[in-house]
Amino acid sequence: MYKSTFMGLNTALRGVLAQQAALDTTGHNISNIETTGYTRQRAEMRASQAWSNPSAFTQTSPGQIGTGVEVLSIERLRDQYIDQNVRQQLGGQAANQTLVDQLGQVQAAFQEPSTNGLSKLLTEFFSAADEVAKNPQESGARQGFASAAEALARGFNQVSADLNNVMLQSDARLNDTVGEINGITSRIAALNTDVKRAIEHGHQPNDLLDARDLLMDDLSKITNYTSTTAADGQVTITFGTFGNIVDPTVAGGSTPVTRADLDAAFPADMTSGRAFADQQLFVNIIPGYLAQLDALATEIVVQVNATNAAGFTATGAAGGNIFDPLFTSAAAMSLDGANSIMLDPRRIAAADSWGGTGEPLNGNNFINLVNTVRGAGNGPLGGQTFEQYYSSLVTALGSQAQAAERNVANADVLVDMAVGRRDQVSGVSMDEEMSNMLRFQHAYNASARVMSTMDELLDVLINRTGRVGL
Amino acid sequence: MAVRVTQNAMTNQFQADISKIYAKMAKSQQQVSDGRAITKPSDDPIGAGRVMTFDAQIQESQQNQKSVSESIGFMDTADTALDTVVTALQGIQDLTRKAASGTHNLADMQSIAAEILQLKDVVRDGLNAQHGSAFVFAGTGGTQPYPAGANAYAGTNNPLMRLVAPGQTVAINVSGETVLGVAPNNTLDDIDALVLDVQAGNHQAVHNRIAQMDTDINRALDVRTQMGATVKRLESLKERLSGVEERLTDARSQIANVDAAEAYMNFTQQQTMYQAALAAGTRIMQTSILDFI
């Protein structure tokens, strides 16, 4: 059996087609050079089946003759282990970035160190008390102390309200997160179906896989999860003990989560991502600072009231409350309404005794307030004075924020490295694509030249031979 | 396998580097322009805590210095008043010696008695001295310690305490009773008894009163000496406090303020880095194989 006269034409045609496919792929890569999550593709070629196969009926000939080239597949150059690493780092980065942002707001609420913070108000409170102690007969000094006490209470209210706001932001964001997670998982579920269908039909759905990987990157910025890919190309995503949030075996392909599920997952299953940071802020960090602030406010209310109650007012009566003893939280700290020293500063009990015709110059009870009460450690505050306790609170906050800032800087480096490694494998390089383009272009041209050479041969064969006698 | 670097990787890296340098420059710029090293606790948590403590201590120290100055003013008033009281008592003593000499007739004795009574009013006025609205010898009481017409002390024996340094209180007053003794045997009573003897022309009885007047004068002088000692102590404390404040302010500024020269140098260095990165980045990223095809 002889090979077909026209076989060379077919071989050249295959070459032209294959190089065209490679050129198309190059064009696709170049077009998507700026597309987020795009993975570069490559046309994998191989030699098509040679002519002819040896068999009992085949004439022996000197070796097989190649039949040209075919495109085996369009490969997607991606490393799923790098993806896992990228997602892990993205989660850490998002968590720390959220912590830094929110702790920044917490720090802004405290306004330290500055001349507007609680520490300044506290110092001014005691200075005003000292002025009363020195000049108890002067209504101006008493009024000054009443204002300072009011300002201190307002200061506590303000910081507490600001902290509460930051906490509620985290709460609101967690609620939004639920929608985000469910949106992402339902889109992944839809892509799962498309991917499966494509693979069943023998296609390689590169761009669908890119879209799905991008969604999984986004999900990792919200929370950590585990994922497995089945042979049919579908992914299953598992969210801790909650179970699968993306599961091709259930109807719809995904299971929505609720806010309660997010709360239940913290802290055992949730260890990274924005949602993790918000949970930390909402459940632990900000309530912790609020509790410390409350403890401080309570202790100030208790001690100042007790001191005032031990003294005598400017009218010789026993002292009452300065601050309302019922409202000991920082949020509600206020001057006592029934015994308002704002309305009647004479109610300030600066005197430690009231003998004979009265002791309007006696400020010794307030000397006690400024000297002993201010300088004494308080049991509920861990044996610290008011000012020490507050200053260690701010120092602790600063350390926490500083640690978060450092972690973000580290996480940025890690994410850069991981994404860089991914780019190394999957990123499109313009220079590379252009040089490939030149290669494919030349290969195409050469195949075309082979074809026209074949054409000339056949022209000679058909038009110039067998013309004897014509 | 050689490292495969793509345009996008380079651009990303370039942008990340630029933004890092930019963040550093922003920080330096803020430090250069407002001079504060710590604008939020996380800049330097320990430092922030110490700055807050220093701020409180500085203000406390200022408050103490104010109290010390005011206390010294109060005690100066008391000292001036005591000076007139002692002078008046010494005047009375001179008159007493004159009356005891026995060379004066009854009419002279009457005029001496009148003079003594006038000096008694000087003593009384001295003890009713005021510093602002406060009666300096009335203790914590709010009225004249020796109102006209009575010799008994109307003030209190409670001290006027002042916080002059952290944990350190000082009584800045003396009560009228410390100066004059306790009624019905205080200096004013003694003067009244003396006046009666002078009016009666009883030279011997007047003579016997000289010793008592000495005791009264010495009591007042002792008080003055004691107060002088307290004032001295307050004055040295005042100097110490202002020294302390200076040191606290110094220590605070070491933590809270930036070294201007260093901050500016950092800033300049970062600026150079920024420009170098920009120059290199833009030059490398401009070229590609396209320029040569």
Side-chain angles (χ1 to χ4, degrees):
Chain A
M1 199 172 115
Y2 292 97
K3 69 184 177 76
S4 160
T5 316
F6 301 107
M7 190 180 127
L9 275 177
N10 277 327
T11 305
L13 176 63
R14 284 201 193 92
V16 166
L17 290 177
Q19 300 310 330
Q20 195 160 24
L23 267 172
D24 288 344
T25 308
T26 302
H28 187 50
N29 281 343
I30 293 173
S31 307
N32 280 297
I33 193 163
E34 291 302 329
T35 307
T36 319
Y38 180 76
T39 308
R40 79 182 156 116
Q41 298 174 11
R42 188 167 63 195
E44 291 290 337
M45 297 182 214
R46 72 167 179 196
S48 55
Q49 192 157 27
W51 193 87
S52 61
N53 280 329
S55 77
F57 308 101
T58 319
Q59 273 193 332
T60 49
S61 62
Q64 288 183 311
I65 294 177
T67 58
V69 70
E70 66 184 4
V71 173
L72 182 64
S73 64
I74 309 288
E75 277 301 308
R76 176 170 172 266
L77 294 146
R78 186 101 176 182
D79 181 340
Q80 61 163 324
Y81 296 105
I82 295 180
D83 278 345
Q84 276 176 14
N85 184 247
V86 166
R87 285 171 195 153
Q88 198 182 339
Q89 306 303 355
L90 282 177
Q93 187 192 36
N96 282 307
Q97 188 60 53
T98 308
L99 277 183
V100 165
D101 292 347
Q102 297 307 100
L103 285 175
Q105 291 195 43
V106 172
Q107 292 191 77
F110 278 100
Q111 296 192 34
E112 299 289 356
S114 79
T115 48
N116 321 316
L118 273 181
S119 66
K120 179 77 176 173
L121 291 174
L122 208 51
T123 319
E124 277 172 354
F125 174 77
F126 284 116
S127 291
D130 192 42
E131 286 300 313
V132 174
K134 287 188 295 183
N135 306 298
Q137 80 284 10
E138 282 177 17
S139 146
R142 286 172 177 268
Q143 200 69 58
F145 174 76
S147 304
E150 166 106 333
L152 182 64
R154 289 269 163 81
F156 270 104
N157 300 160
Q158 186 63 47
V159 175
S160 174
D162 287 351
L163 285 186
N164 224 45
N165 273 341
V166 183
M167 193 168 80
L168 290 180
Q169 279 176 23
S170 285
D171 188 36
R173 267 209 311 268
L174 280 171
N175 286 333
D176 294 347
T177 302
V178 173
E180 275 182 80
I181 292 178
N182 292 336
I184 290 175
T185 52
S186 65
R187 279 157 68 198
I188 291 178
L191 283 166
N192 259 348
T193 321
D194 294 346
V195 165
K196 181 172 177 249
R197 204 173 293 144
I199 288 179
E200 276 170 355
H201 286 80
H203 298 304
Q204 173 72 8
N206 288 335
D207 300 324
L208 295 177
L209 294 176
D210 279 349
R212 196 176 64 187
D213 276 336
L214 191 60
L215 285 172
M216 286 169 75
D217 283 359
D218 287 345
L219 186 59
S220 70
K221 289 177 194 166
I222 301 176
T223 179
N224 52 305
Y225 59 83
T226 53
S227 67
T228 52
T229 311
D232 62 2
Q234 305 198 92
V235 288
T236 303
I237 296 178
T238 313
F239 178 51
T241 45
F242 172 80
N244 296 339
I245 42 177
V246 173
D247 186 351
T249 61
V250 304
S254 66
T255 314
V257 293
T258 63
R259 173 65 195 276
D261 297 328
L262 283 191
D263 291 350
F266 179 81
D269 289 332
M270 218 189 254
T271 52
S272 79
R274 272 189 281 130
F276 169 66
D278 277 324
Q279 288 283 17
Q280 268 189 311
L281 287 160
F282 182 62
V283 177
N284 296 332
I285 296 175
I286 301 180
Y289 289 125
L290 276 173
Q292 289 190 57
L293 210 57
D294 284 346
L296 179 60
T298 307
E299 198 56 18
I300 290 175
V301 168
V302 167
Q303 294 296 339
V304 171
N305 278 352
T307 309
N308 202 59
F312 293 88
T313 69
T315 53
N321 289 319
I322 298 240
F323 295 110
D324 194 326
L326 293 178
F327 297 114
T328 53
S329 70
M333 183 177 176
S334 63
L335 292 182
D336 193 288
N339 184 52
S340 171
I341 56 168
M342 229 17 194
L343 293 179
D344 186 359
R346 286 179 303 175
R347 288 174 173 148
I348 295 165
D352 67 346
S353 71
W354 199 262
T357 55
E359 303 183 24
L361 290 189
N362 187 337
N364 294 345
N365 191 39
F366 263 43
I367 288 285
N368 182 37
L369 176 65
V370 182
N371 190 22
T372 317
V373 177
R374 182 189 198 178
N378 296 283
L381 304 183
Q384 301 183 90
T385 67
F386 304 136
E387 282 151 304
Q388 283 167 350
Y389 183 78
Y390 180 66
S391 141
S392 33
L393 192 169
V394 172
T395 305
L397 168 63
S399 306
Q400 191 168 32
Q402 190 186 40
E405 279 166 18
R406 284 190 184 142
N407 288 342
V408 160
N410 288 345
D412 284 348
V413 173
L414 290 173
V415 166
D416 282 353
M417 272 169 57
V419 171
R421 281 212 298 151
R422 180 151 82 181
D423 273 351
Q424 242 185 63
V425 177
S426 305
V428 178
S429 159
M430 182 99 75
D431 295 347
E432 206 175 77
E433 296 301 330
M434 292 312 289
S435 53
N436 282 343
M437 190 190 77
L438 292 180
R439 273 169 53 203
F440 297 139
Q441 192 184 357
H442 286 306
Y444 180 95
N445 289 347
S447 291
R449 177 64 61 85
V450 170
M451 197 182 279
S452 58
T453 306
M454 286 295 169
D455 180 42
E456 275 172 39
L457 291 181
L458 290 172
D459 179 43
V460 170
L461 184 66
I462 294 167
N463 294 327
R464 310 264 173 86
T465 53
R467 291 174 64 90
V468 179
L470 282 181
Chain B
M1 190 180 102
V3 178
R4 195 174 158 272
V5 183
T6 66
Q7 268 85 2
N8 270 347
M10 257 167 64
T11 316
N12 289 342
Q13 189 62 46
F14 172 71
Q15 282 170 349
D17 288 347
I18 288 287
S19 82
K20 259 182 237 162
I21 300 175
Y22 222 67
K24 277 188 196 160
M25 267 171 69
K27 178 95 193 156
S28 299
Q29 195 266 340
Q30 174 264 316
Q31 288 190 342
V32 169
S33 60
D34 90 343
R36 284 196 298 162
I38 304 174
T39 49
K40 53 185 193 308
S42 61
D43 290 341
D44 176 2
I46 308 289
R50 290 178 64 197
V51 167
M52 283 165 62
T53 310
F54 282 139
D55 279 342
Q57 283 174 345
I58 289 169
Q59 212 193 346
E60 202 179 352
S61 176
Q62 286 168 344
Q63 181 70 18
N64 287 333
Q65 289 178 58
K66 197 174 154 201
S67 299
V68 169
S69 298
E70 286 168 8
S71 301
I72 292 174
F74 182 94
M75 294 185 82
D76 278 348
T77 306
D79 187 61
T80 313
L82 273 184
D83 188 43
T84 61
V85 167
V86 169
T87 312
L89 287 177
Q90 278 163 348
I92 291 173
Q93 182 73 311
D94 288 347
L95 290 170
T96 310
R97 285 185 208 284
K98 207 165 144 191
S101 65
T103 56
H104 297 285
N105 59 26
L106 205 58
D108 289 342
M109 294 292 262
Q110 297 308 319
S111 67
I112 288 174
E115 241 182 290
I116 291 176
L117 278 176
Q118 270 178 10
L119 285 173
K120 181 192 168 195
D121 283 343
V122 173
V123 171
R124 185 192 296 280
D125 287 348
L127 283 155
N128 285 337
Q130 278 181 287
H131 182 77
S133 60
F135 294 95
V136 291
F137 295 107
T140 55
T143 54
Q144 290 192 341
Y146 292 99
N151 291 344
Y153 177 56
T156 75
N157 284 317
N158 276 343
L160 291 176
M161 302 303 289
R162 292 288 183 266
L163 184 67
V164 288
Q168 204 174 331
T169 55
V170 166
I172 57 162
N173 72 318
V174 285
S175 74
E177 279 190 344
T178 320
V179 183
L180 298 185
V182 184
N185 297 309
N186 69 13
T187 307
L188 297 178
D189 294 319
D190 293 342
I191 295 173
D192 282 348
L194 170 69
V195 166
L196 285 181
D197 286 341
V198 172
Q199 282 168 341
N202 187 341
H203 299 293
Q204 188 55 45
V206 171
H207 184 78
N208 291 343
R209 298 234 171 247
I210 291 176
Q212 182 60 49
M213 281 315 295
D214 276 338
T215 315
D216 289 337
I217 291 170
N218 284 338
R219 200 193 297 116
L221 279 175
D222 282 353
V223 168
R224 230 189 132 186
T225 317
Q226 280 169 22
M227 287 190 75
T230 309
V231 169
K232 244 194 168 144
R233 184 179 147 208
L234 285 179
E235 264 159 5
S236 80
L237 187 64
K238 192 175 164 187
E239 262 173 46
R240 193 162 66 80
L241 282 175
S242 77
V244 166
E245 190 195 334
E246 215 168 287
R247 277 198 300 280
L248 286 173
T249 313
D250 237 35
R252 182 197 185 279
S253 105
Q254 298 245 338
I255 304 172
N257 297 343
V258 285
D259 181 346
E262 196 188 319
Y264 195 75
M265 221 175 68
N266 283 342
F267 182 60
T268 317
Q269 218 166 30
Q270 284 150 3
Q271 221 172 8
T272 316
M273 271 168 67
Y274 176 62
Q275 279 163 358
L278 274 184
T282 45
R283 216 161 287 168
I284 292 170
M285 285 186 308
Q286 262 176 12
T287 44
S288 84
I289 198 169
L290 279 171
D291 298 323
F292 304 100
I293 295 177

